[in-house]
Amino acid sequence: RKEVEQDPGPFNVPEGATVAFNCTYSNSASQSFFWYRQDCRKEPKLLMSVYSSGNEDGRFTAQLNRASQYISLLIRDSKLSDSATYLCVVRLSGTYKYIFGTGTRLKVLA
Amino acid sequence: DTGVSQNPRHKITKRGQNVTFRCDPISEHNRLYWYRQTLGQGPEFLTYFQNEAQLEKSRLLSDRFSAERPKGSFSTLEIQRTEQGDSAMYLCASSLVGVETQYFGPGTRLLVL
């Protein structure tokens, strides 16, 4: 089983739609959680950290469910510019090794 | 702040040759990471440094792969006796101790013929 699993997609959604991605992790000792965004042929960039209580940044909401070992990302009112690959990232307690998922591709259609 | 830079941006080499890549992190960033990314996959951890100390490395970073950060600033990643399976994008990232945001460089794309 992979340490961090994501549905690779692609998710094709119309502009204005709400879309949600899930990511599951296998190690219960995972301590820190993140979503990164990667545009085609570009480097990953931090989208948001994921906190235990859940957090929101504009149209983006991230949630963590430690009991079920998954994190989610919700994007509201999708824009064409949201088209990218969204990478789920996990760090284990006691290490600064970051484990990336395969990424979920999102295409927002006009 | 010029961001993380990597050189070269592209490298084509023949199987069996050695290659070396360089990463210059954001100044004052004490953590530096190397990742490898292939098409359709997320970045795969190779190793990381805190200042000049290499604190953790993947099982991938063995015999043919070596990384250094001699003065705690720039880092090099060397691959000896390259194989076609080494073809990938090699990404470098840096961060500050106490801040988990990683800033990635543009990567070095390696093609082994």
Side-chain angles (χ1 to χ4, degrees):
Chain A
R1 183 183 173 187
K2 288 185 177 179
E3 291 181 272
V4 178
E5 292 200 69
Q6 296 183 251
D7 181 341
F11 284 59
N12 296 322
V13 302
E15 267 187 295
T18 295
V19 61
F21 310 135
N22 282 340
C23 163
T24 58
Y25 59 94
S26 60
N27 195 319
S28 60
S30 299
Q31 179 167 358
S32 300
F33 309 89
F34 311 89
W35 285 101
Y36 275 71
R37 170 189 168 133
Q38 187 171 27
D39 292 302
C40 188
R41 298 187 178 276
K42 296 286 190 179
E43 69 274 19
K45 292 184 179 177
L46 179 69
L47 178 65
M48 57 197 305
S49 301
V50 186
Y51 303 122
S52 297
S53 54
N55 48 300
E56 188 173 306
D57 183 1
R59 298 181 294 108
F60 299 84
T61 300
Q63 292 192 315
L64 167 64
N65 185 318
R66 285 190 182 273
S68 300
Q69 295 184 197
Y70 77 84
I71 67 173
S72 63
L73 177 67
L74 181 78
I75 305 176
R76 290 182 298 278
D77 189 22
S78 300
K79 311 291 185 191
L80 293 175
S81 57
D82 293 335
S83 297
T85 295
Y86 290 84
L87 297 160
C88 171
V89 186
V90 169
R91 177 177 68 81
L92 295 179
S93 174
T95 176
Y96 280 91
K97 173 183 175 181
Y98 293 83
I99 309 299
F100 283 72
T102 56
T104 297
R105 278 180 58 202
L106 171 66
K107 291 184 180 180
V108 181
L109 308 171
Chain B
D1 187 352
T2 58
V4 178
S5 61
Q6 293 187 244
N7 288 288
R9 295 291 307 277
H10 299 90
K11 179 72 177 178
I12 300 174
T13 191
K14 292 182 180 178
R15 190 174 51 187
Q17 298 295 303
N18 299 343
V19 294
T20 300
F21 309 142
R22 177 178 169 126
C23 171
D24 287 87
I26 293 171
S27 57
E28 300 175 357
H29 277 195
N30 22 36
R31 288 207 178 110
L32 186 148
Y33 301 81
W34 285 101
Y35 295 89
R36 182 171 76 175
Q37 187 174 26
T38 53
L39 194 63
Q41 301 298 313
E44 181 178 22
F45 172 84
L46 293 178
T47 189
Y48 90 93
F49 294 83
Q50 184 162 313
N51 300 312
E52 65 275 11
Q54 187 174 22
L55 295 186
E56 192 161 353
K57 55 185 181 180
S58 161
R59 284 168 295 178
L60 282 174
L61 211 71
S62 60
D63 69 332
R64 298 189 303 108
F65 287 73
S66 62
E68 293 183 343
R69 194 183 185 197
K71 297 182 180 179
S73 55
F74 74 91
S75 175
T76 58
L77 177 69
E78 181 182 18
I79 309 174
Q80 296 182 326
R81 305 181 302 281
T82 52
E83 301 173 357
Q84 288 183 323
D86 297 332
S87 296
M89 176 73 84
Y90 289 83
L91 292 163
C92 175
S94 69
S95 69
L96 276 170
V97 170
V99 180
E100 296 210 63
T101 304
Q102 293 184 67
Y103 294 86
F104 282 81
T108 295
R109 187 173 294 281
L110 173 66
L111 178 60
V112 182
L113 301 175

PDB file of all heavy atoms in Angstrom, chain A residues 4-36:
ATOM      1  N   VAL A   4       0.917   7.464   0.717  1.00  0.00           N
ATOM      2  CA  VAL A   4      -0.039   8.544   0.477  1.00  0.00           C
ATOM      3  C   VAL A   4      -0.738   8.242  -0.845  1.00  0.00           C
ATOM      4  O   VAL A   4      -0.063   8.069  -1.864  1.00  0.00           O
ATOM      5  CB  VAL A   4       0.658   9.914   0.406  1.00  0.00           C
ATOM      6  CG1 VAL A   4      -0.351  11.008   0.095  1.00  0.00           C
ATOM      7  CG2 VAL A   4       1.382  10.207   1.715  1.00  0.00           C
ATOM      8  N   GLU A   5      -2.043   8.144  -0.822  1.00  0.00           N
ATOM      9  CA  GLU A   5      -2.781   7.773  -2.029  1.00  0.00           C
ATOM     10  C   GLU A   5      -3.775   8.844  -2.434  1.00  0.00           C
ATOM     11  O   GLU A   5      -4.491   9.398  -1.581  1.00  0.00           O
ATOM     12  CB  GLU A   5      -3.520   6.448  -1.808  1.00  0.00           C
ATOM     13  CG  GLU A   5      -2.580   5.259  -1.672  1.00  0.00           C
ATOM     14  CD  GLU A   5      -3.270   3.935  -1.940  1.00  0.00           C
ATOM     15  OE1 GLU A   5      -3.648   3.681  -3.105  1.00  0.00           O
ATOM     16  OE2 GLU A   5      -3.435   3.163  -0.985  1.00  0.00           O
ATOM     17  N   GLN A   6      -3.787   9.096  -3.729  1.00  0.00           N
ATOM     18  CA  GLN A   6      -4.728  10.053  -4.299  1.00  0.00           C
ATOM     19  C   GLN A   6      -5.313   9.474  -5.576  1.00  0.00           C
ATOM     20  O   GLN A   6      -4.640   8.715  -6.286  1.00  0.00           O
ATOM     21  CB  GLN A   6      -4.008  11.361  -4.681  1.00  0.00           C
ATOM     22  CG  GLN A   6      -3.413  12.142  -3.551  1.00  0.00           C
ATOM     23  CD  GLN A   6      -2.801  13.431  -4.045  1.00  0.00           C
ATOM     24  OE1 GLN A   6      -1.586  13.597  -4.066  1.00  0.00           O
ATOM     25  NE2 GLN A   6      -3.662  14.373  -4.439  1.00  0.00           N
ATOM     26  N   ASP A   7      -6.529   9.869  -5.895  1.00  0.00           N
ATOM     27  CA  ASP A   7      -7.131   9.544  -7.179  1.00  0.00           C
ATOM     28  C   ASP A   7      -6.446  10.439  -8.216  1.00  0.00           C
ATOM     29  O   ASP A   7      -6.490  11.658  -8.087  1.00  0.00           O
ATOM     30  CB  ASP A   7      -8.631   9.840  -7.120  1.00  0.00           C
ATOM     31  CG  ASP A   7      -9.347   9.511  -8.418  1.00  0.00           C
ATOM     32  OD1 ASP A   7      -8.681   9.389  -9.478  1.00  0.00           O
ATOM     33  OD2 ASP A   7     -10.576   9.387  -8.383  1.00  0.00           O
ATOM     34  N   PRO A   8      -5.814   9.865  -9.242  1.00  0.00           N
ATOM     35  CA  PRO A   8      -5.068  10.696 -10.185  1.00  0.00           C
ATOM     36  C   PRO A   8      -5.943  11.577 -11.075  1.00  0.00           C
ATOM     37  O   PRO A   8      -5.459  12.531 -11.678  1.00  0.00           O
ATOM     38  CB  PRO A   8      -4.295   9.677 -11.014  1.00  0.00           C
ATOM     39  CG  PRO A   8      -5.077   8.416 -10.894  1.00  0.00           C
ATOM     40  CD  PRO A   8      -5.678   8.432  -9.522  1.00  0.00           C
ATOM     41  N   GLY A   9      -7.271  11.238 -11.159  1.00  0.00           N
ATOM     42  CA  GLY A   9      -8.162  12.014 -12.005  1.00  0.00           C
ATOM     43  C   GLY A   9      -7.935  11.658 -13.471  1.00  0.00           C
ATOM     44  O   GLY A   9      -7.525  10.539 -13.779  1.00  0.00           O
ATOM     45  N   PRO A  10      -8.193  12.554 -14.442  1.00  0.00           N
ATOM     46  CA  PRO A  10      -8.495  13.959 -14.192  1.00  0.00           C
ATOM     47  C   PRO A  10      -9.948  14.186 -13.772  1.00  0.00           C
ATOM     48  O   PRO A  10     -10.827  13.423 -14.131  1.00  0.00           O
ATOM     49  CB  PRO A  10      -8.207  14.620 -15.533  1.00  0.00           C
ATOM     50  CG  PRO A  10      -8.484  13.540 -16.538  1.00  0.00           C
ATOM     51  CD  PRO A  10      -8.079  12.254 -15.875  1.00  0.00           C
ATOM     52  N   PHE A  11     -10.129  15.231 -12.989  1.00  0.00           N
ATOM     53  CA  PHE A  11     -11.441  15.719 -12.666  1.00  0.00           C
ATOM     54  C   PHE A  11     -11.717  16.874 -13.635  1.00  0.00           C
ATOM     55  O   PHE A  11     -11.006  17.863 -13.616  1.00  0.00           O
ATOM     56  CB  PHE A  11     -11.491  16.255 -11.215  1.00  0.00           C
ATOM     57  CG  PHE A  11     -11.526  15.174 -10.172  1.00  0.00           C
ATOM     58  CD1 PHE A  11     -10.520  14.239 -10.064  1.00  0.00           C
ATOM     59  CD2 PHE A  11     -12.574  15.123  -9.258  1.00  0.00           C
ATOM     60  CE1 PHE A  11     -10.559  13.242  -9.095  1.00  0.00           C
ATOM     61  CE2 PHE A  11     -12.610  14.138  -8.272  1.00  0.00           C
ATOM     62  CZ  PHE A  11     -11.615  13.201  -8.195  1.00  0.00           C
ATOM     63  N   ASN A  12     -12.715  16.699 -14.477  1.00  0.00           N
ATOM     64  CA  ASN A  12     -13.107  17.757 -15.418  1.00  0.00           C
ATOM     65  C   ASN A  12     -14.381  18.395 -14.892  1.00  0.00           C
ATOM     66  O   ASN A  12     -15.408  17.715 -14.774  1.00  0.00           O
ATOM     67  CB  ASN A  12     -13.342  17.179 -16.814  1.00  0.00           C
ATOM     68  CG  ASN A  12     -12.075  16.589 -17.398  1.00  0.00           C
ATOM     69  OD1 ASN A  12     -10.994  17.124 -17.217  1.00  0.00           O
ATOM     70  ND2 ASN A  12     -12.205  15.478 -18.104  1.00  0.00           N
ATOM     71  N   VAL A  13     -14.311  19.671 -14.564  1.00  0.00           N
ATOM     72  CA  VAL A  13     -15.468  20.353 -13.984  1.00  0.00           C
ATOM     73  C   VAL A  13     -15.696  21.659 -14.712  1.00  0.00           C
ATOM     74  O   VAL A  13     -14.765  22.278 -15.221  1.00  0.00           O
ATOM     75  CB  VAL A  13     -15.281  20.608 -12.475  1.00  0.00           C
ATOM     76  CG1 VAL A  13     -15.040  19.301 -11.716  1.00  0.00           C
ATOM     77  CG2 VAL A  13     -14.166  21.596 -12.206  1.00  0.00           C
ATOM     78  N   PRO A  14     -16.953  22.135 -14.772  1.00  0.00           N
ATOM     79  CA  PRO A  14     -17.226  23.431 -15.398  1.00  0.00           C
ATOM     80  C   PRO A  14     -16.851  24.564 -14.455  1.00  0.00           C
ATOM     81  O   PRO A  14     -16.814  24.395 -13.233  1.00  0.00           O
ATOM     82  CB  PRO A  14     -18.736  23.379 -15.643  1.00  0.00           C
ATOM     83  CG  PRO A  14     -19.251  22.460 -14.598  1.00  0.00           C
ATOM     84  CD  PRO A  14     -18.180  21.441 -14.344  1.00  0.00           C
ATOM     85  N   GLU A  15     -16.572  25.705 -15.042  1.00  0.00           N
ATOM     86  CA  GLU A  15     -16.325  26.904 -14.232  1.00  0.00           C
ATOM     87  C   GLU A  15     -17.470  27.108 -13.252  1.00  0.00           C
ATOM     88  O   GLU A  15     -18.640  26.914 -13.591  1.00  0.00           O
ATOM     89  CB  GLU A  15     -16.282  28.143 -15.137  1.00  0.00           C
ATOM     90  CG  GLU A  15     -14.923  28.533 -15.610  1.00  0.00           C
ATOM     91  CD  GLU A  15     -14.954  29.854 -16.363  1.00  0.00           C
ATOM     92  OE1 GLU A  15     -15.581  29.920 -17.430  1.00  0.00           O
ATOM     93  OE2 GLU A  15     -14.347  30.812 -15.854  1.00  0.00           O
ATOM     94  N   GLY A  16     -17.119  27.513 -12.043  1.00  0.00           N
ATOM     95  CA  GLY A  16     -18.132  27.777 -11.038  1.00  0.00           C
ATOM     96  C   GLY A  16     -18.519  26.576 -10.197  1.00  0.00           C
ATOM     97  O   GLY A  16     -19.196  26.726  -9.174  1.00  0.00           O
ATOM     98  N   ALA A  17     -18.072  25.403 -10.595  1.00  0.00           N
ATOM     99  CA  ALA A  17     -18.424  24.192  -9.852  1.00  0.00           C
ATOM    100  C   ALA A  17     -17.624  24.092  -8.557  1.00  0.00           C
ATOM    101  O   ALA A  17     -16.584  24.739  -8.389  1.00  0.00           O
ATOM    102  CB  ALA A  17     -18.159  22.963 -10.719  1.00  0.00           C
ATOM    103  N   THR A  18     -18.131  23.255  -7.670  1.00  0.00           N
ATOM    104  CA  THR A  18     -17.399  22.895  -6.452  1.00  0.00           C
ATOM    105  C   THR A  18     -16.826  21.500  -6.647  1.00  0.00           C
ATOM    106  O   THR A  18     -17.526  20.604  -7.130  1.00  0.00           O
ATOM    107  CB  THR A  18     -18.339  22.915  -5.238  1.00  0.00           C
ATOM    108  OG1 THR A  18     -18.788  24.261  -5.023  1.00  0.00           O
ATOM    109  CG2 THR A  18     -17.617  22.431  -3.986  1.00  0.00           C
ATOM    110  N   VAL A  19     -15.579  21.334  -6.304  1.00  0.00           N
ATOM    111  CA  VAL A  19     -14.926  20.031  -6.486  1.00  0.00           C
ATOM    112  C   VAL A  19     -14.150  19.691  -5.221  1.00  0.00           C
ATOM    113  O   VAL A  19     -13.630  20.578  -4.534  1.00  0.00           O
ATOM    114  CB  VAL A  19     -13.997  20.058  -7.723  1.00  0.00           C
ATOM    115  CG1 VAL A  19     -12.887  21.086  -7.570  1.00  0.00           C
ATOM    116  CG2 VAL A  19     -13.435  18.681  -8.015  1.00  0.00           C
ATOM    117  N   ALA A  20     -14.128  18.406  -4.907  1.00  0.00           N
ATOM    118  CA  ALA A  20     -13.434  17.960  -3.694  1.00  0.00           C
ATOM    119  C   ALA A  20     -12.495  16.812  -4.017  1.00  0.00           C
ATOM    120  O   ALA A  20     -12.837  15.926  -4.815  1.00  0.00           O
ATOM    121  CB  ALA A  20     -14.449  17.510  -2.640  1.00  0.00           C
ATOM    122  N   PHE A  21     -11.313  16.844  -3.413  1.00  0.00           N
ATOM    123  CA  PHE A  21     -10.336  15.773  -3.548  1.00  0.00           C
ATOM    124  C   PHE A  21     -10.065  15.181  -2.175  1.00  0.00           C
ATOM    125  O   PHE A  21      -9.984  15.910  -1.198  1.00  0.00           O
ATOM    126  CB  PHE A  21      -8.989  16.292  -4.079  1.00  0.00           C
ATOM    127  CG  PHE A  21      -9.079  17.148  -5.292  1.00  0.00           C
ATOM    128  CD1 PHE A  21      -8.362  18.327  -5.376  1.00  0.00           C
ATOM    129  CD2 PHE A  21      -9.862  16.774  -6.371  1.00  0.00           C
ATOM    130  CE1 PHE A  21      -8.427  19.121  -6.503  1.00  0.00           C
ATOM    131  CE2 PHE A  21      -9.936  17.561  -7.503  1.00  0.00           C
ATOM    132  CZ  PHE A  21      -9.219  18.752  -7.571  1.00  0.00           C
ATOM    133  N   ASN A  22      -9.889  13.874  -2.146  1.00  0.00           N
ATOM    134  CA  ASN A  22      -9.470  13.218  -0.914  1.00  0.00           C
ATOM    135  C   ASN A  22      -8.085  12.632  -1.082  1.00  0.00           C
ATOM    136  O   ASN A  22      -7.635  12.356  -2.200  1.00  0.00           O
ATOM    137  CB  ASN A  22     -10.435  12.078  -0.560  1.00  0.00           C
ATOM    138  CG  ASN A  22     -11.706  12.603   0.059  1.00  0.00           C
ATOM    139  OD1 ASN A  22     -11.752  13.720   0.553  1.00  0.00           O
ATOM    140  ND2 ASN A  22     -12.739  11.792   0.017  1.00  0.00           N
ATOM    141  N   CYS A  23      -7.443  12.428   0.029  1.00  0.00           N
ATOM    142  CA  CYS A  23      -6.118  11.824   0.042  1.00  0.00           C
ATOM    143  C   CYS A  23      -6.064  10.966   1.302  1.00  0.00           C
ATOM    144  O   CYS A  23      -6.454  11.436   2.384  1.00  0.00           O
ATOM    145  CB  CYS A  23      -5.074  12.941   0.089  1.00  0.00           C
ATOM    146  SG  CYS A  23      -3.427  12.423   0.595  1.00  0.00           S
ATOM    147  N   THR A  24      -5.615   9.735   1.172  1.00  0.00           N
ATOM    148  CA  THR A  24      -5.487   8.882   2.355  1.00  0.00           C
ATOM    149  C   THR A  24      -4.020   8.624   2.648  1.00  0.00           C
ATOM    150  O   THR A  24      -3.191   8.575   1.735  1.00  0.00           O
ATOM    151  CB  THR A  24      -6.211   7.535   2.163  1.00  0.00           C
ATOM    152  OG1 THR A  24      -5.665   6.877   1.007  1.00  0.00           O
ATOM    153  CG2 THR A  24      -7.693   7.727   1.967  1.00  0.00           C
ATOM    154  N   TYR A  25      -3.690   8.481   3.912  1.00  0.00           N
ATOM    155  CA  TYR A  25      -2.316   8.183   4.307  1.00  0.00           C
ATOM    156  C   TYR A  25      -2.319   6.953   5.193  1.00  0.00           C
ATOM    157  O   TYR A  25      -3.271   6.700   5.924  1.00  0.00           O
ATOM    158  CB  TYR A  25      -1.661   9.386   4.995  1.00  0.00           C
ATOM    159  CG  TYR A  25      -2.348   9.887   6.235  1.00  0.00           C
ATOM    160  CD1 TYR A  25      -1.962   9.451   7.496  1.00  0.00           C
ATOM    161  CD2 TYR A  25      -3.385  10.819   6.153  1.00  0.00           C
ATOM    162  CE1 TYR A  25      -2.587   9.909   8.637  1.00  0.00           C
ATOM    163  CE2 TYR A  25      -4.020  11.279   7.283  1.00  0.00           C
ATOM    164  CZ  TYR A  25      -3.618  10.823   8.531  1.00  0.00           C
ATOM    165  OH  TYR A  25      -4.249  11.287   9.660  1.00  0.00           O
ATOM    166  N   SER A  26      -1.222   6.207   5.125  1.00  0.00           N
ATOM    167  CA  SER A  26      -1.225   4.893   5.769  1.00  0.00           C
ATOM    168  C   SER A  26      -0.626   4.895   7.171  1.00  0.00           C
ATOM    169  O   SER A  26      -0.922   4.013   7.972  1.00  0.00           O
ATOM    170  CB  SER A  26      -0.473   3.878   4.900  1.00  0.00           C
ATOM    171  OG  SER A  26       0.870   4.289   4.721  1.00  0.00           O
ATOM    172  N   ASN A  27       0.217   5.887   7.471  1.00  0.00           N
ATOM    173  CA  ASN A  27       0.927   5.867   8.748  1.00  0.00           C
ATOM    174  C   ASN A  27       0.243   6.774   9.769  1.00  0.00           C
ATOM    175  O   ASN A  27       0.174   7.988   9.580  1.00  0.00           O
ATOM    176  CB  ASN A  27       2.375   6.300   8.534  1.00  0.00           C
ATOM    177  CG  ASN A  27       3.264   5.965   9.714  1.00  0.00           C
ATOM    178  OD1 ASN A  27       2.866   6.133  10.871  1.00  0.00           O
ATOM    179  ND2 ASN A  27       4.461   5.494   9.443  1.00  0.00           N
ATOM    180  N   SER A  28      -0.237   6.163  10.833  1.00  0.00           N
ATOM    181  CA  SER A  28      -0.958   6.940  11.846  1.00  0.00           C
ATOM    182  C   SER A  28      -0.046   7.907  12.591  1.00  0.00           C
ATOM    183  O   SER A  28      -0.527   8.801  13.294  1.00  0.00           O
ATOM    184  CB  SER A  28      -1.632   5.990  12.844  1.00  0.00           C
ATOM    185  OG  SER A  28      -0.661   5.184  13.482  1.00  0.00           O
ATOM    186  N   ALA A  29       1.277   7.751  12.431  1.00  0.00           N
ATOM    187  CA  ALA A  29       2.223   8.678  13.078  1.00  0.00           C
ATOM    188  C   ALA A  29       2.441   9.933  12.251  1.00  0.00           C
ATOM    189  O   ALA A  29       3.280  10.768  12.597  1.00  0.00           O
ATOM    190  CB  ALA A  29       3.549   7.974  13.316  1.00  0.00           C
ATOM    191  N   SER A  30       1.702  10.077  11.170  1.00  0.00           N
ATOM    192  CA  SER A  30       1.836  11.278  10.342  1.00  0.00           C
ATOM    193  C   SER A  30       1.457  12.502  11.167  1.00  0.00           C
ATOM    194  O   SER A  30       0.472  12.490  11.902  1.00  0.00           O
ATOM    195  CB  SER A  30       0.948  11.170   9.105  1.00  0.00           C
ATOM    196  OG  SER A  30       1.332  10.055   8.333  1.00  0.00           O
ATOM    197  N   GLN A  31       2.268  13.545  11.033  1.00  0.00           N
ATOM    198  CA  GLN A  31       2.096  14.686  11.915  1.00  0.00           C
ATOM    199  C   GLN A  31       1.655  15.960  11.212  1.00  0.00           C
ATOM    200  O   GLN A  31       0.875  16.722  11.766  1.00  0.00           O
ATOM    201  CB  GLN A  31       3.419  14.958  12.637  1.00  0.00           C
ATOM    202  CG  GLN A  31       3.374  16.147  13.565  1.00  0.00           C
ATOM    203  CD  GLN A  31       4.564  16.215  14.485  1.00  0.00           C
ATOM    204  OE1 GLN A  31       5.414  15.341  14.454  1.00  0.00           O
ATOM    205  NE2 GLN A  31       4.651  17.242  15.284  1.00  0.00           N
ATOM    206  N   SER A  32       2.189  16.201  10.024  1.00  0.00           N
ATOM    207  CA  SER A  32       1.879  17.443   9.311  1.00  0.00           C
ATOM    208  C   SER A  32       1.349  17.114   7.930  1.00  0.00           C
ATOM    209  O   SER A  32       1.778  16.130   7.322  1.00  0.00           O
ATOM    210  CB  SER A  32       3.128  18.325   9.178  1.00  0.00           C
ATOM    211  OG  SER A  32       3.630  18.662  10.440  1.00  0.00           O
ATOM    212  N   PHE A  33       0.437  17.979   7.460  1.00  0.00           N
ATOM    213  CA  PHE A  33      -0.283  17.686   6.223  1.00  0.00           C
ATOM    214  C   PHE A  33      -0.390  18.957   5.390  1.00  0.00           C
ATOM    215  O   PHE A  33      -0.578  20.051   5.944  1.00  0.00           O
ATOM    216  CB  PHE A  33      -1.687  17.159   6.549  1.00  0.00           C
ATOM    217  CG  PHE A  33      -1.670  16.023   7.531  1.00  0.00           C
ATOM    218  CD1 PHE A  33      -1.714  16.266   8.895  1.00  0.00           C
ATOM    219  CD2 PHE A  33      -1.597  14.709   7.085  1.00  0.00           C
ATOM    220  CE1 PHE A  33      -1.675  15.229   9.812  1.00  0.00           C
ATOM    221  CE2 PHE A  33      -1.559  13.663   7.990  1.00  0.00           C
ATOM    222  CZ  PHE A  33      -1.596  13.922   9.348  1.00  0.00           C
ATOM    223  N   PHE A  34      -0.289  18.773   4.080  1.00  0.00           N
ATOM    224  CA  PHE A  34      -0.253  19.939   3.197  1.00  0.00           C
ATOM    225  C   PHE A  34      -0.914  19.597   1.870  1.00  0.00           C
ATOM    226  O   PHE A  34      -0.956  18.431   1.459  1.00  0.00           O
ATOM    227  CB  PHE A  34       1.203  20.361   2.907  1.00  0.00           C
ATOM    228  CG  PHE A  34       2.053  20.476   4.140  1.00  0.00           C
ATOM    229  CD1 PHE A  34       2.737  19.381   4.623  1.00  0.00           C
ATOM    230  CD2 PHE A  34       2.162  21.675   4.814  1.00  0.00           C
ATOM    231  CE1 PHE A  34       3.513  19.458   5.769  1.00  0.00           C
ATOM    232  CE2 PHE A  34       2.940  21.771   5.964  1.00  0.00           C
ATOM    233  CZ  PHE A  34       3.603  20.666   6.430  1.00  0.00           C
ATOM    234  N   TRP A  35      -1.355  20.636   1.196  1.00  0.00           N
ATOM    235  CA  TRP A  35      -1.709  20.544  -0.214  1.00  0.00           C
ATOM    236  C   TRP A  35      -0.775  21.466  -0.988  1.00  0.00           C
ATOM    237  O   TRP A  35      -0.624  22.650  -0.642  1.00  0.00           O
ATOM    238  CB  TRP A  35      -3.155  20.961  -0.456  1.00  0.00           C
ATOM    239  CG  TRP A  35      -4.160  19.938  -0.015  1.00  0.00           C
ATOM    240  CD1 TRP A  35      -4.904  19.934   1.126  1.00  0.00           C
ATOM    241  CD2 TRP A  35      -4.544  18.756  -0.727  1.00  0.00           C
ATOM    242  NE1 TRP A  35      -5.717  18.836   1.174  1.00  0.00           N
ATOM    243  CE2 TRP A  35      -5.519  18.087   0.045  1.00  0.00           C
ATOM    244  CE3 TRP A  35      -4.175  18.190  -1.962  1.00  0.00           C
ATOM    245  CZ2 TRP A  35      -6.114  16.895  -0.357  1.00  0.00           C
ATOM    246  CZ3 TRP A  35      -4.763  17.001  -2.362  1.00  0.00           C
ATOM    247  CH2 TRP A  35      -5.717  16.369  -1.570  1.00  0.00           C
ATOM    248  N   TYR A  36      -0.154  20.909  -2.022  1.00  0.00           N
ATOM    249  CA  TYR A  36       0.656  21.681  -2.944  1.00  0.00           C
ATOM    250  C   TYR A  36      -0.037  21.672  -4.299  1.00  0.00           C
ATOM    251  O   TYR A  36      -0.743  20.728  -4.644  1.00  0.00           O
ATOM    252  CB  TYR A  36       2.067  21.071  -3.105  1.00  0.00           C
ATOM    253  CG  TYR A  36       3.059  21.514  -2.044  1.00  0.00           C
ATOM    254  CD1 TYR A  36       2.955  21.063  -0.731  1.00  0.00           C
ATOM    255  CD2 TYR A  36       4.105  22.371  -2.357  1.00  0.00           C
ATOM    256  CE1 TYR A  36       3.869  21.467   0.238  1.00  0.00           C
ATOM    257  CE2 TYR A  36       5.028  22.779  -1.403  1.00  0.00           C
ATOM    258  CZ  TYR A  36       4.892  22.327  -0.112  1.00  0.00           C
ATOM    259  OH  TYR A  36       5.796  22.724   0.850  1.00  0.00           O
TER     260      TYR A  36
END
